Amino acid sequence: MARYLGKETPRVDGVAKVTGKAKYTAEFQVPHVAYGFLVLSTVAKGRITAIDTRAAEQAAGVIRVFTHLNAGRLGKAPAPGEPPQWSWPLQSDRVFFNGQPIALVVAETYEQARHASRLVKVSYQAERHVTDLEAVLDRAVTDPKNGAKPPRGNPSAAMKAAAVKVEAEYRIPIEHHNPIEPHAAIAFWEGGQLTIFDKTQNVYGVRQHLAEGLGIPADNIRVVSPFVGGAFGASLKPNYYPSLTALAARELRRPVKVVYTRAQMFTGHGYRPCTVQKVALGADRRGKLSAMIHEAFHNTSSFESFSDNTTGFIRQVYACPNLHAPLKVAATDLATPTWMRAPGAVSGMFALESAMDELAYALKIDPLELRLINYAEVDPESGKPFSSKALRECYRLGAEKFGWKHRNPEPRSMRDGHLLVGWGMASSVWGAFQQPASARVTYRADGTASVASATSDIGPGTYTVMTMIAAEFLGLELNQVKFELGDTRHPQAPAQGGSWTTSSVGSAVRGAALAIAARLLDLAQRDADSPMRDVQAADVEMLDGRLRLKSDPSRSVDIAGLMRRTATNEITAVHDSKPSPEREKFASLAHGAQFVEVMVDPDLGTVKVTRVIEITACGKILNPLASHSQEIGGVVWGIGMALEDATEIDHRYGRIMNASLQHYHVPVNADIHAIETIFVEEDDTIVNPLGVKGMGELGMVGIPAAIANAVYHATGRRIRDLPITPDKLL
């Protein structure tokens, strides 16, 4: 009987967060700290011909102004004749995007640094730039890693022969992560040893990046990041400011702190790329898909090729013998995009699930029925069986809860007084990933335990779920376990992203706890008359201070007494977990279904999402309280993506025009109405020992498509270009 796993558990770090005890990066107190403020370029492409820092250097409190002329080396110098690349800040006079850092002013106070940053005068030789993806589509190249898979079957011949076909183009603008906590770093040196506090999803990744940039051994660097106030992918790759902060601290021989302003965040950490997708679906009259051709294009930067694998998951969604899903990326004069919650999947599924809705109307088949007709019983890509797949049950339960059978399929046929009512649905998919991870557990004779792994907690509740897993397998109360994360002094863990933390780090914590039980059994078996002789480690469990036989709890030993008798103060175990070879025989995915109601004002074109039912199948649910919260958050973000999110760029200057939370719209409480999240649990012993699959990304994947489909049902207007703003409906 599980004591914690599967039960609603409040956050163990909740009190620290609401009382201000939890320290975020910029809040660490370091004596004698100096403050850095960034100066950003105002042209999108070209070179700096002159940079005048005299007035800034003479301003009150200024210690130094770093530019490409005096900053010192970061990373490897480009080989002779090679063009300078923008992977490290302040390394050349080249400008690759508007908003690129070109100087760092360091002063005694933040205000002094900020004031002096405005006194830096820069002259440029500007070059012609392109920031509009549409203008460079013809220059897009196939992404070698994600976009070059050969076609399945013969899609073009099947498309020609299809009885019914739909073809459409779908567009998603650039979108920005806007976490509450701005990115920040504080760096200080003690001899050759660097300690840096950084807002990151991957402390080991930042350590490696800084070792390369600063040319010092990774072992000389400690990266600390105990709390992250939201990141959503914006801190997966090392950003440019930690290396700059560490460089300044080394040069000045004192601690330096750099914090982004909200506007600086828009060019400081990547974004969801601008995407154009061309989708063609072919089917017979009964609705069986015979061909899917799904071409995606998105932008990258001029100096780095990035891909979010837009068409990766769509290959595994429907049973269709003929499919081609290429992805091409085109260089633009903008900063490099990055992963943003549900990267690739939410973009690809917006196009595919909108097209499926269009096909349903062309065939006069219910959209849910069309999905069931094309349900994939095995992975259409590899032919492997699924380790588990409860999507059919998600559809059934969602339709029943939502009242889908009462839907009149005719657009503009349903009303609530003056308002048009629309019902739409979509499917979602995400991987059930597991990465290698390591955790350390120390069990003490007083019945307390410390657990550590260098993972992150960007908000999903990692502190809590790891504490639950450790307490479960050590047989302790939650308050007897202390879990620590976000420090390169802890065992290595993967970046927190991809919804793989619980499966990866959780499996390592479980493994380390079981290793403690095995060590205790070993101690117990040294007694000749032990009730534990002839027992295997797999047959015992720890509970309430006793090591006992699972099949016969009366056979047990008191752990504290055992440790006293054997003069053992504490036992430490480190466990490395990795995916089992068994997984290779199966396809493992998490699935879900979304049913959405919208109300549209026909005079104003305003859309309100009045009701959402989200059904999710992602293995075992370890903490339902946090899990429902994760899914609600995903739905809210999906509503934002469908109706509000858009980064506006003035292509004349390559400049972002709405780099603020005043002008970049995200959902507020008034935008959010009834959201119900339901889990269909799967018993999957193949994905990992805990049976969990990812859910953090999955929650938003189908939402934008479901909303767009509901808007069509309400209005008869098919909006293929996000966000769905009132002007597009009038």
Side-chain angles (χ1 to χ4, degrees):
M1 169 65 190
R3 303 169 71 222
Y4 297 112
L5 300 187
K7 300 192 177 159
E8 301 222 330
T9 307
R11 289 175 182 256
V12 297
D13 53 334
V15 171
K17 283 185 165 171
V18 297
T19 56
K21 235 174 96 177
K23 272 199 167 69
Y24 293 85
T25 298
E27 298 178 314
F28 282 90
Q29 298 298 309
V30 176
H32 197 49
V33 70
Y35 295 81
F37 195 88
L38 294 157
V39 181
L40 306 184
S41 71
T42 55
V43 301
K45 188 180 181 185
R47 35 184 297 276
I48 298 165
T49 53
I51 186 159
D52 182 352
T53 56
R54 282 169 304 187
E57 283 158 345
Q58 285 158 17
V62 171
I63 302 161
R64 194 173 302 178
V65 180
F66 292 95
T67 69
H68 68 280
L69 299 171
N70 68 346
R73 186 84 241 140
L74 277 175
K76 288 194 179 77
E82 240 183 58
Q85 285 291 303
W86 197 84
S87 47
W88 301 97
L90 310 191
Q91 295 304 296
S92 83
D93 61 0
R94 299 290 311 171
V95 174
F96 293 95
F97 56 93
N98 201 321
Q100 173 182 315
I102 54 170
L104 177 71
V105 179
V106 183
E108 294 294 343
T109 71
Y110 175 78
E111 291 75 14
Q112 288 171 335
R114 187 170 192 163
H115 168 71
S117 74
R118 294 174 183 169
L119 305 177
V120 176
K121 295 189 176 64
V122 188
S123 312
Y124 304 95
Q125 183 184 331
E127 295 167 19
R128 277 192 57 184
H129 66 268
V130 183
T131 51
D132 185 355
L133 173 64
E134 303 277 349
V136 290
L137 276 183
D138 57 339
R139 290 185 234 159
V141 293
T142 301
D143 172 53
K145 187 160 162 264
N146 298 315
K149 283 191 178 147
R152 189 157 83 214
N154 188 339
S156 47
M159 192 63 75
K160 280 199 186 87
V164 180
K165 48 193 119 181
V166 297
E167 286 186 56
E169 278 193 27
Y170 303 89
R171 285 175 166 70
I172 299 168
I174 284 175
E175 298 166 354
H176 269 84
H177 327 63
N178 271 291
I180 291 176
E181 181 199 12
H183 291 64
I186 303 172
F188 63 91
W189 294 78
E190 292 160 301
Q193 302 285 320
L194 167 66
T195 300
I196 186 160
F197 300 99
D198 178 29
K199 172 182 169 143
T200 177
Q201 293 169 253
N202 186 2
V203 288
Y204 271 87
V206 170
R207 186 177 83 156
Q208 192 50 43
H209 170 79
L210 292 175
E212 286 167 25
L214 299 162
I216 62 171
D219 290 348
N220 292 9
I221 302 170
R222 181 185 178 196
V223 182
V224 184
S225 184
F227 290 95
V228 176
F232 320 111
S235 299
L236 275 172
K237 290 197 294 191
N239 292 309
Y240 69 71
Y241 63 87
S243 59
L244 199 50
T245 309
L247 176 88
R250 182 163 70 178
E251 292 285 319
L252 299 177
R253 302 189 174 189
R254 66 184 278 192
V256 173
K257 172 177 179 173
V258 172
V259 184
Y260 280 171
T261 63
R262 181 62 57 181
Q264 287 167 351
M265 288 168 73
F266 278 77
T267 56
H269 60 53
Y271 49 86
R272 196 188 303 284
C274 175
T275 312
V276 174
Q277 297 177 76
K278 302 174 181 184
V279 182
L281 300 179
D284 64 20
R285 299 256 169 233
R286 295 188 310 276
K288 193 94 189 76
L289 283 168
S290 58
M292 295 169 64
I293 299 175
H294 188 142
E295 287 182 277
F297 303 82
H298 72 63
N299 76 299
T300 186
S301 67
S302 63
F303 51 89
E304 202 177 351
S305 187
F306 171 84
S307 141
D308 75 0
N309 195 13
T310 321
T311 58
F313 284 117
I314 62 144
R315 314 171 73 90
Q316 295 178 280
V317 179
Y318 295 115
C320 178
N322 305 289
L323 171 142
H324 190 32
L327 167 62
K328 295 182 172 179
V329 294
T332 51
D333 297 307
L334 291 165
T336 310
T338 194
W339 302 280
M340 182 164 166
R341 194 174 186 170
V346 70
S347 308
M349 288 296 276
F350 164 65
L352 175 59
E353 291 295 85
S354 295
M356 284 293 281
D357 201 65
E358 300 200 37
L359 182 62
Y361 275 97
L363 289 158
K364 296 190 167 45
I365 292 178
D366 180 271
L368 175 55
E369 182 57 30
L370 180 64
R371 285 163 176 82
L372 290 168
I373 290 167
N374 292 288
Y375 192 84
E377 298 293 351
V378 297
D379 176 20
E381 186 66 5
S382 64
K384 293 176 184 177
F386 289 108
S387 58
S388 58
K389 182 181 181 182
L391 178 58
R392 196 182 286 282
E393 181 59 12
C394 293
Y395 287 144
R396 189 196 64 73
L397 194 60
E400 189 184 297
K401 279 260 179 199
F402 191 81
W404 186 257
K405 65 173 188 284
H406 304 300
R407 176 181 183 269
N408 178 343
E410 196 54 44
R412 296 184 84 92
S413 62
M414 293 168 68
R415 282 189 180 257
D416 181 342
H418 175 62
L419 301 175
L420 299 168
V421 175
W423 288 3
M425 61 86 55
S427 325
S428 58
V429 61
W430 187 257
F433 301 117
Q434 185 187 351
Q435 307 283 351
S438 190
R440 180 176 60 242
V441 173
T442 298
Y443 184 92
R444 289 180 282 271
D446 65 1
T448 62
S450 314
V451 185
S453 179
T455 181
S456 298
D457 190 345
I458 61 173
T462 309
Y463 276 105
T464 307
V465 78
M466 298 307 158
T467 303
M468 290 166 70
I469 293 166
E472 180 85 22
F473 291 100
L474 295 171
L476 298 174
E477 301 293 323
L478 291 174
N479 62 7
Q480 293 172 299
V481 175
K482 184 173 191 326
F483 178 68
E484 294 180 288
L485 54 71
D487 191 328
T488 48
R489 288 187 175 171
H490 301 325
Q492 191 160 358
Q496 178 156 65
S499 301
W500 55 55
T501 301
T502 305
S503 69
S504 311
V505 181
S507 295
V509 170
R510 172 188 175 274
L514 293 176
I516 298 280
R519 298 265 286 280
L520 287 167
L521 176 64
D522 189 41
L523 290 178
Q525 289 176 337
R526 292 178 193 175
D527 285 349
D529 56 350
S530 168
M532 291 288 149
R533 61 186 177 279
D534 307 326
V535 167
Q536 300 299 312
D539 303 329
V540 299
E541 61 186 0
M542 296 166 69
L543 188 64
D544 297 332
R546 300 192 78 77
L547 182 71
R548 64 185 207 180
L549 199 59
K550 288 178 192 171
S551 58
D552 178 7
S554 68
R555 282 179 65 184
S556 69
V557 292
D558 171 58
I559 295 172
L562 172 67
M563 290 178 77
R564 214 173 24 252
R565 284 197 308 282
T566 54
T568 309
N569 291 327
E570 58 181 46
I571 300 174
T572 296
V574 176
H575 182 80
D576 300 325
S577 75
K578 53 181 191 291
S580 82
E582 182 70 3
R583 275 184 64 122
E584 285 304 303
K585 302 174 195 161
F586 296 88
S588 294
L589 294 170
H591 294 91
Q594 294 75 29
F595 294 82
V596 168
E597 175 184 81
V598 300
M599 292 194 186
V600 182
D601 186 316
D603 298 332
L604 301 175
T606 49
V607 179
K608 222 184 235 180
V609 179
T610 44
R611 201 159 56 98
V612 178
I613 292 187
E614 162 127 56
I615 326 284
T616 306
C618 58
K620 269 212 176 356
I621 304 302
L622 298 191
N623 183 358
L625 194 62
S627 298
H628 285 295
S629 164
Q630 274 283 291
E631 296 307 83
I632 290 167
V635 172
V636 170
W637 195 325
I639 291 170
M641 185 169 173
L643 304 179
E644 301 175 40
D645 264 81
T647 300
E648 306 286 351
I649 295 170
D650 185 334
H651 294 304
R652 295 173 302 171
Y653 308 107
R655 192 170 188 80
I656 295 170
M657 296 187 286
N658 58 338
S660 69
L661 282 181
Q662 181 187 0
H663 300 113
Y664 186 96
H665 293 176
V666 295
V668 295
N669 283 352
D671 297 318
I672 304 305
H673 300 272
I675 299 174
E676 191 178 350
T677 59
I678 299 163
F679 291 104
V680 176
E681 294 213 41
E682 299 166 312
D683 190 17
D684 193 329
T685 52
I686 291 151
V687 279
N688 50 66
L690 293 164
V692 298
K693 297 179 181 179
M695 76 170 61
E697 331 269 349
L698 183 68
M700 79 173 283
V701 170
I703 297 292
I707 292 172
N709 295 341
V711 166
Y712 175 76
H713 181 230
T715 63
R717 297 289 290 277
R718 179 69 66 182
I719 309 298
R720 302 182 182 95
D721 184 358
L722 292 182
I724 303 168
T725 45
D727 53 301
K728 293 173 187 171
L729 289 172
L730 289 177

